[in-house]
Amino acid sequence: MATVAMVLGLSLFLGWASLGAEAEPRPPNIVLLLMDDMGWGDLGVFGEPSKETPHLDQMAAEGMLFPNFYTANPLCSPSRAALLTGRLPIRNGFYTTNAHARNAYTPQEIVGGIPDSEFLLPELLKKAGYVNKIVGKWHLGHRPQFHPLKHGFDEWFGAPNCHFGPYDNKARPNIPVYRNWEMVGRFFEDFPINLKTGEANLTQIYLQEAVDFIKQQAHQQPFFLYWAVDATHAPVYASKSFLGTSQRGRYGDAVREIDDCVGKILKLLQDLGIQENTFVFFTSDNGAALISAPIQGGSNGPFLCGKQTTFEGGMREPAIAWWPGHIPAGRVSHQLGNVMDLFTTSLSLAGLKPPSDREIDGIDLLPAIVRGELIDRPIFYYRGNEMMAVRVGQYKAHYWTWSNSWEQFSQGIDFCPGQNISGVTTHSQEEHTKLPLLFHLGRDPGEKYPISFSSLEYQNVLLKIFPIVEEHKKTMIPAEPQLNVCNLAVMTCLMKRPGMNRKFDFQI
Amino acid sequence: MATVAMVLGLSLFLGWASLGAEAEPRPPNIVLLLMDDMGWGDLGVFGEPSKETPHLDQMAAEGMLFPNFYTANPLCSPSRAALLTGRLPIRNGFYTTNAHARNAYTPQEIVGGIPDSEFLLPELLKKAGYVNKIVGKWHLGHRPQFHPLKHGFDEWFGAPNCHFGPYDNKARPNIPVYRNWEMVGRFFEDFPINLKTGEANLTQIYLQEAVDFIKQQAHQQPFFLYWAVDATHAPVYASKSFLGTSQRGRYGDAVREIDDCVGKILKLLQDLGIQENTFVFFTSDNGAALISAPIQGGSNGPFLCGKQTTFEGGMREPAIAWWPGHIPAGRVSHQLGNVMDLFTTSLSLAGLKPPSDREIDGIDLLPAIVRGELIDRPIFYYRGNEMMAVRVGQYKAHYWTWSNSWEQFSQGIDFCPGQNISGVTTHSQEEHTKLPLLFHLGRDPGEKYPISFSSLEYQNVLLKIFPIVEEHKKTMIPAEPQLNVCNLAVMTCLMKRPGMNRKFDFQI
């Protein structure tokens, strides 16, 4: 059956490709639906018991499910930088050297952002005639030079950072919301989010932004829509009509609203008759934030820990590809995928090659998506400047373990609530470089049963993994870190950087 | 949409029912597929990442999924007694008074079994003309008077207990396998299970037994097939052609083989044209046995702990109803269900009423299955003679907590590996009767965040739960315990019972 589908997929793909030989084909539109802190286990199709995501489940039934899809970093900001550059955060600068293995993000007191030297997906897509829009959260730097419209996007509605931030501090104003170059208001003030009830109509605004853009572009130039909504990031919010409708509480309300929006977006593509010319991919930026659970946090299903950690719960993401007529319906791909692949895959869809002057970590998933192939590739799990773990096939080797610090833990912050694997979920940074902790993720997705060091299996697997890691480390040239923390009082960074005494907000 | 389907379901159901007014209708055949130690999270449709159960997932797509379906006890033997009697083990005698809150089962050194005074489902179905077959594990007593053919079954191929047992002890021979009244061999000797490789062709034999019975009965009397395979109980086994084929190791191989068999059984019903006259239900006897994981144990998905415990991982079961033409395809029912409901529902399908001279805990699920109704009912979680917890709506109150004993724990036996919720996963028996631990299973399916005792929510919910528990306890008349442990040396039980000096095997 796989063969039939593969042949079918192949012929469809070739059909679209061969079209190009005759007339300049219009490359497919690209819609990336990126969720915020949504966990692998939050969708019905990934086993959420309330089964409240009928549209996403339907998207999977009509498309392809990826149960082995990862982020490049268990935190929003670096994950998004990786998605848009196709490169690990340590290569594109979205990490810190302030402290070993520390996750960092904006709007921490950093002055960095996405460097001009990086090629972002929308910049490159422009070369193939795409019109690009970002809706929602940018998170690639809040200073003027990092503005999305300076990095390839033609339109933007959203905020430089998440709505999480200093919203309750009048000395440092709430987070600005932009329409293109213009600041049109601030979260909590002009775009209200009721912290008590969770009511906000932002997701509906983001839906409308997507709908308007799709309609406007449907029969014009090809488009790239990056729909980066943040309703599932604490403080979680939903519109009035969704509040209180979930079995799962407020977080579930937000998921239900997003699910509804995704259904409306896919239906719009169908109503406009452009579904066969629009590639849609749904995923999340990192695992569910268990520190916000249960009211404001999602589910990582059977996986260990959550956001901020390099365990599966922190980095394995829900993922669905949808492209009627090109992807055979109802498929599951066990391809090891990564958000960075969306960069390379999107370029491939546009008929472009990725930049050849730099290391690109993302691979082209089209052979996996359209022809059902499996491409052998490792997955690297980073925290800040440290490669913590690697997955090769079904095996995952932890070189470093660290869930959260004793300091945080004693304050009640726990990235792994209720989960304690001796020697694995550590509260200090533990190095295992000489004898990595090894897990088989097929039979032990929860990383609960380390494989015995003395077993033949351990030895054989490590022999395979060692050269892959060695090669990776040998060729790794870290970029200048963009997320080093500054001293806010004097606005000087712990590591010197140019232009560090600017303000945080865009000054345009 | 729900309304349309409900009306459709209703009309189909009434169509079948009204047929009865004209000519004596043949009631539908009933096929109960009961798994052994299979966990909620073991099916693709319930979020198992390997997605290796295409036939069961298809069964759900064509039928109705129950994400809130429970067993009556987190251990094989009492669970099966409950399924076949529609009554809690404490009512039908499948518990012990040897120790408080202890789970007990056969083939422990007990002399009891299902009492003659209990009405078993096949006994009752006989009254409506059904021919009944059990394939696989009986587990309701291994002495002659408890033989399945003495309790309503017309045919049997299988063993009185699980293949787990004294198979490596020549002084106490391996577990016998029966065809009807006759012992036809023993596990490990005549029906080999290779402990090293896991190879055994038993599931194929059980499939053939089902196929032969269905073919034989298809156009004769209505039939009840109770397919109680045990391949997923440690020591886990699979046929040669399935061994090594799963991403999940040997346990996954067994799941894949069972999935394949279920697909073949459903296809046979369709090929014979009797699918619209055959009600099929798939579920498991208790949660995955995490002490056997990862090689020989399954997954409880996002739920806490496993077999033997009254946490969700021990008692929530995968469950799918399938009845083409009567159950609208692809539905999810959030009805709180229980294996005991299969007793009452099967009687209802056969046009029979449950016995009125005793307490029946199982409810008729047909309104939920055919018309999409939701029936309000509590779920009681028992360990042995103690009601440990109760679920009312989305809330679960723990009156007692106990994962496993310190004694077991210090020996390395852990029913909750890697899971430690302070005050919840206790290694001694903790009573919370005055202030039950309360969880909201919708937003916290993993039972990780007890609701604050001082909250209004806690107080309101307890006010609702207290009278339900009080009523339950007031009307509870425990039966004579059947599973009290005997002193093997002299074959006298700690609690005196008649006939206690018989041998273990059937003596027919």
Side-chain angles (χ1 to χ4, degrees):
Chain A
M1 212 159 108
T3 320
V4 175
M6 275 165 62
V7 171
L8 181 72
L10 185 62
S11 68
L12 285 168
F13 183 65
L14 289 178
W16 165 72
S18 63
L19 198 68
E22 294 160 28
E24 278 277 311
R26 177 185 154 139
N29 310 307
I30 298 163
V31 177
L32 301 186
L33 307 167
L34 186 72
M35 302 302 108
D36 202 343
D37 289 4
M38 190 181 277
W40 191 93
D42 274 329
L43 275 57
V45 70
F46 285 107
E48 207 293 315
S50 299
K51 293 266 173 192
E52 291 178 337
T53 54
H55 299 99
L56 288 163
D57 298 353
Q58 182 64 22
M59 182 182 178
E62 294 169 8
M64 183 175 266
L65 195 72
F66 288 85
N68 293 278
F69 198 86
Y70 290 88
T71 182
N73 189 279
L75 204 62
C76 310
S77 216
S79 162
R80 285 151 199 261
L83 185 152
L84 289 176
T85 61
R87 284 148 61 78
L88 282 167
I90 196 163
R91 292 196 216 273
N92 65 34
F94 264 63
Y95 73 107
T96 176
T97 53
N98 283 165
H100 178 250
R102 176 166 292 173
N103 294 316
Y105 64 101
T106 65
Q108 282 182 163
E109 280 65 14
I110 57 100
V111 293
I114 196 73
D116 272 345
S117 55
E118 289 295 317
F119 293 132
L120 267 66
L121 178 58
E123 287 179 82
L124 299 171
L125 289 177
K126 267 189 177 306
K127 296 180 186 172
Y130 278 72
V131 174
N132 310 305
K133 176 161 190 165
I134 167 172
V135 175
K137 182 166 157 181
W138 170 238
H139 236 191
L140 264 57
H142 38 235
R143 291 166 64 224
Q145 66 268 42
F146 306 124
H147 193 292
L149 270 57
K150 286 197 174 175
H151 290 269
F153 283 105
D154 300 294
E155 300 181 23
W156 180 31
F157 182 87
N161 297 310
C162 192
H163 62 289
F164 166 84
Y167 46 81
D168 48 1
N169 185 339
K170 292 292 168 195
R172 298 171 57 208
N174 293 352
I175 297 159
V177 177
Y178 280 76
R179 173 175 299 289
N180 302 326
W181 294 108
E182 199 185 345
M183 188 188 124
V184 291
R186 293 179 185 276
F187 279 140
F188 296 93
E189 291 174 354
D190 312 287
F191 295 91
I193 300 171
N194 188 322
L195 283 171
K196 203 164 175 185
T197 65
E199 185 180 341
N201 66 344
L202 278 161
T203 303
Q204 292 304 315
I205 295 174
Y206 294 145
L207 171 63
Q208 196 57 47
E209 289 290 325
V211 165
D212 291 347
F213 179 68
I214 291 169
K215 282 184 178 167
Q216 159 206 313
Q217 283 304 128
H219 302 293
Q220 300 188 33
Q221 283 164 278
F223 64 83
F224 167 47
L225 172 63
Y226 176 50
W227 199 65
V229 296
D230 60 3
T232 44
H233 189 299
V236 165
Y237 62 80
S239 296
K240 196 168 187 177
S241 59
F242 287 92
L243 274 181
T245 65
S246 166
Q247 294 178 36
R248 304 178 62 197
R250 191 183 296 181
Y251 182 88
D253 298 340
V255 172
R256 285 200 65 239
E257 181 164 20
I258 288 171
D259 176 74
D260 192 72
C261 290
V262 172
K264 288 195 166 85
I265 289 171
L266 299 187
K267 185 168 183 303
L268 175 64
L269 297 173
Q270 286 165 324
D271 288 349
L272 292 168
I274 58 171
Q275 74 276 15
E276 296 202 2
N277 202 32
T278 306
F279 175 87
V280 185
F281 203 96
F282 176 95
T283 190
S284 180
D285 61 349
N286 46 246
L290 301 184
I291 50 165
S292 316
I295 305 287
Q296 306 217 22
S299 162
N300 296 314
F303 299 123
L304 187 64
C305 297
K307 178 179 178 178
Q308 291 268 16
T309 78
T310 46
F311 301 110
E312 292 299 287
M315 295 193 58
R316 211 189 290 206
E317 308 305 328
I320 309 168
W322 185 90
W323 192 17
H326 302 269
I327 303 175
R331 284 306 155 100
V332 174
S333 171
H334 289 291
Q335 174 65 46
L336 302 193
N338 196 294
V339 293
M340 298 181 294
D341 303 343
L342 299 175
F343 173 88
T344 313
T345 305
S346 297
L347 292 181
S348 178
L349 285 166
L352 300 169
K353 295 256 178 243
S356 57
D357 65 339
R358 61 198 65 201
E359 204 69 47
I360 300 290
D361 297 287
I363 63 170
D364 181 2
L365 287 179
L366 284 187
I369 290 173
V370 180
R371 294 195 295 274
E373 292 176 9
L374 283 179
I375 305 152
D376 198 19
R377 68 94 70 93
I379 296 290
F380 296 102
Y381 302 68
Y382 271 85
R383 254 180 98 135
N385 60 350
E386 185 59 74
M387 193 208 81
M388 304 286 283
V390 61
R391 175 173 177 179
V392 174
Q394 291 287 359
Y395 290 97
K396 179 174 178 182
H398 289 270
Y399 285 75
W400 287 82
T401 53
W402 186 26
S403 46
N404 58 332
S405 68
W406 280 118
E407 192 188 352
Q408 290 172 312
F409 192 67
S410 65
Q411 288 165 12
I413 296 172
D414 188 358
F415 300 152
C416 313
Q419 298 177 314
N420 177 32
I421 319 289
S422 183
V424 181
T425 52
T426 60
H427 293 291
S428 55
Q429 295 183 34
E430 301 292 337
E431 185 169 8
H432 308 279
T433 304
K434 283 187 182 159
L435 275 179
L437 301 183
L438 190 68
F439 295 88
H440 185 285
L441 295 178
R443 49 182 202 246
D444 176 23
E447 295 167 281
K448 288 185 168 61
Y449 307 93
I451 294 169
S452 164
F453 297 125
S454 62
S455 66
L456 194 63
E457 182 179 19
Y458 184 93
Q459 293 161 41
N460 286 340
V461 172
L462 261 284
L463 279 178
K464 197 179 163 194
I465 289 180
F466 266 138
I468 293 169
V469 170
E470 207 173 332
E471 177 68 17
H472 176 73
K473 294 212 157 180
K474 208 168 63 190
T475 58
M476 173 58 70
I477 305 161
E480 190 179 2
Q482 296 291 317
L483 304 187
N484 279 343
V485 177
C486 295
N487 181 328
L488 195 61
V490 292
M491 208 52 201
T492 53
C493 288
L494 296 181
M495 191 187 195
K496 278 232 167 261
R497 281 186 43 73
M500 60 199 172
N501 51 357
R502 302 229 191 144
K503 287 201 185 166
F504 287 103
D505 290 344
F506 290 115
Q507 307 279 322
I508 299 163
Chain B
M1 214 160 107
T3 320
V4 174
M6 276 165 61
V7 170
L8 180 72
L10 184 64
S11 68
L12 284 168
F13 183 66
L14 290 178
W16 165 72
S18 63
L19 197 68
E22 294 161 28
E24 278 276 309
R26 179 183 151 139
N29 309 307
I30 297 163
V31 177
L32 301 186
L33 306 167
L34 186 73
M35 302 302 108
D36 202 342
D37 288 3
M38 189 180 279
W40 192 94
D42 275 328
L43 274 56
V45 70
F46 285 107
E48 207 292 315
S50 299
K51 292 266 174 193
E52 292 178 338
T53 54
H55 299 98
L56 287 163
D57 297 354
Q58 182 64 23
M59 182 183 177
E62 294 169 7
M64 183 175 266
L65 195 72
F66 288 85
N68 294 279
F69 198 85
Y70 290 88
T71 182
N73 189 279
L75 203 62
C76 310
S77 215
S79 163
R80 285 151 199 260
L83 185 152
L84 289 176
T85 61
R87 284 148 61 79
L88 282 166
I90 196 164
R91 292 196 216 272
N92 65 35
F94 264 63
Y95 73 107
T96 176
T97 52
N98 283 165
H100 178 250
R102 176 167 291 173
N103 295 313
Y105 63 101
T106 65
Q108 282 181 162
E109 280 65 12
I110 56 101
V111 294
I114 195 72
D116 273 345
S117 54
E118 289 296 316
F119 292 131
L120 267 65
L121 177 58
E123 286 178 82
L124 299 171
L125 288 177
K126 268 189 177 303
K127 296 181 185 170
Y130 278 72
V131 173
N132 309 306
K133 176 161 190 165
I134 167 173
V135 176
K137 182 167 157 181
W138 169 239
H139 236 192
L140 264 57
H142 37 234
R143 290 164 65 224
Q145 66 268 40
F146 305 125
H147 193 292
L149 271 57
K150 285 197 173 173
H151 289 269
F153 283 105
D154 300 294
E155 298 182 26
W156 180 30
F157 183 86
N161 296 310
C162 192
H163 62 290
F164 166 82
Y167 47 81
D168 48 0
N169 185 339
K170 292 294 167 191
R172 298 172 56 209
N174 293 352
I175 295 160
V177 177
Y178 280 77
R179 173 175 301 288
N180 302 327
W181 295 107
E182 199 184 344
M183 187 187 124
V184 290
R186 292 179 185 275
F187 279 140
F188 295 95
E189 292 173 354
D190 312 289
F191 295 90
I193 300 172
N194 187 321
L195 282 172
K196 203 165 175 182
T197 64
E199 185 180 341
N201 67 344
L202 278 160
T203 303
Q204 292 304 315
I205 296 174
Y206 293 145
L207 171 63
Q208 196 57 48
E209 289 290 325
V211 165
D212 291 346
F213 178 68
I214 291 169
K215 282 184 179 167
Q216 160 207 311
Q217 284 303 129
H219 301 291
Q220 299 190 34
Q221 283 166 278
F223 64 82
F224 166 47
L225 170 64
Y226 177 49
W227 198 66
V229 296
D230 61 3
T232 44
H233 189 299
V236 165
Y237 62 80
S239 297
K240 197 169 187 176
S241 59
F242 287 92
L243 274 181
T245 64
S246 166
Q247 293 178 36
R248 305 180 61 198
R250 190 183 296 181
Y251 182 87
D253 298 340
V255 172
R256 287 199 64 240
E257 181 164 20
I258 287 171
D259 177 74
D260 191 74
C261 289
V262 172
K264 288 196 166 87
I265 289 170
L266 299 187
K267 184 166 183 305
L268 175 64
L269 297 172
Q270 286 165 322
D271 289 348
L272 292 169
I274 58 172
Q275 75 276 14
E276 296 202 1
N277 201 32
T278 307
F279 175 86
V280 185
F281 203 95
F282 176 94
T283 190
S284 180
D285 61 349
N286 47 246
L290 301 184
I291 49 164
S292 317
I295 306 286
Q296 306 217 22
S299 162
N300 296 315
F303 299 122
L304 187 65
C305 298
K307 178 179 178 177
Q308 290 268 18
T309 78
T310 45
F311 301 111
E312 292 299 287
M315 295 193 60
R316 214 192 285 210
E317 309 303 330
I320 309 168
W322 186 90
W323 192 16
H326 301 268
I327 303 176
R331 284 306 155 100
V332 174
S333 171
H334 289 292
Q335 173 64 44
L336 303 194
N338 195 293
V339 293
M340 298 182 294
D341 302 343
L342 299 176
F343 172 88
T344 313
T345 305
S346 297
L347 291 181
S348 177
L349 285 165
L352 300 170
K353 295 257 177 244
S356 57
D357 64 340
R358 61 199 64 202
E359 204 69 47
I360 300 291
D361 297 288
I363 63 169
D364 181 2
L365 288 179
L366 285 187
I369 290 174
V370 181
R371 296 195 295 273
E373 292 176 9
L374 283 179
I375 306 152
D376 197 20
R377 67 94 71 94
I379 296 289
F380 295 102
Y381 302 68
Y382 271 86
R383 253 180 99 136
N385 59 350
E386 186 57 75
M387 192 206 82
M388 305 285 284
V390 62
R391 175 173 178 179
V392 174
Q394 290 286 0
Y395 291 98
K396 179 175 177 182
H398 288 271
Y399 285 75
W400 286 83
T401 54
W402 186 26
S403 46
N404 58 332
S405 68
W406 280 117
E407 191 188 354
Q408 290 172 313
F409 192 66
S410 64
Q411 288 165 12
I413 297 171
D414 188 359
F415 301 152
C416 313
Q419 298 176 312
N420 177 32
I421 319 288
S422 181
V424 180
T425 52
T426 59
H427 293 292
S428 55
Q429 297 183 34
E430 300 293 335
E431 184 169 8
H432 308 278
T433 305
K434 283 187 183 158
L435 276 179
L437 301 184
L438 190 68
F439 295 88
H440 185 285
L441 294 178
R443 48 181 203 248
D444 176 23
E447 294 167 281
K448 288 185 167 60
Y449 307 94
I451 294 170
S452 164
F453 296 126
S454 61
S455 67
L456 194 62
E457 183 180 19
Y458 184 93
Q459 292 160 41
N460 286 340
V461 172
L462 260 285
L463 279 178
K464 196 179 164 195
I465 289 180
F466 265 139
I468 293 169
V469 170
E470 206 174 331
E471 177 67 19
H472 175 73
K473 293 212 157 180
K474 207 168 63 187
T475 57
M476 173 57 72
I477 304 162
E480 189 179 2
Q482 297 291 316
L483 304 186
N484 280 343
V485 178
C486 295
N487 181 331
L488 195 61
V490 292
M491 208 50 203
T492 54
C493 289
L494 297 180
M495 191 188 194
K496 277 235 167 260
R497 281 186 45 71
M500 60 200 171
N501 50 356
R502 303 230 189 144
K503 286 199 187 169
F504 287 102
D505 291 343
F506 289 115
Q507 306 278 324
I508 298 160

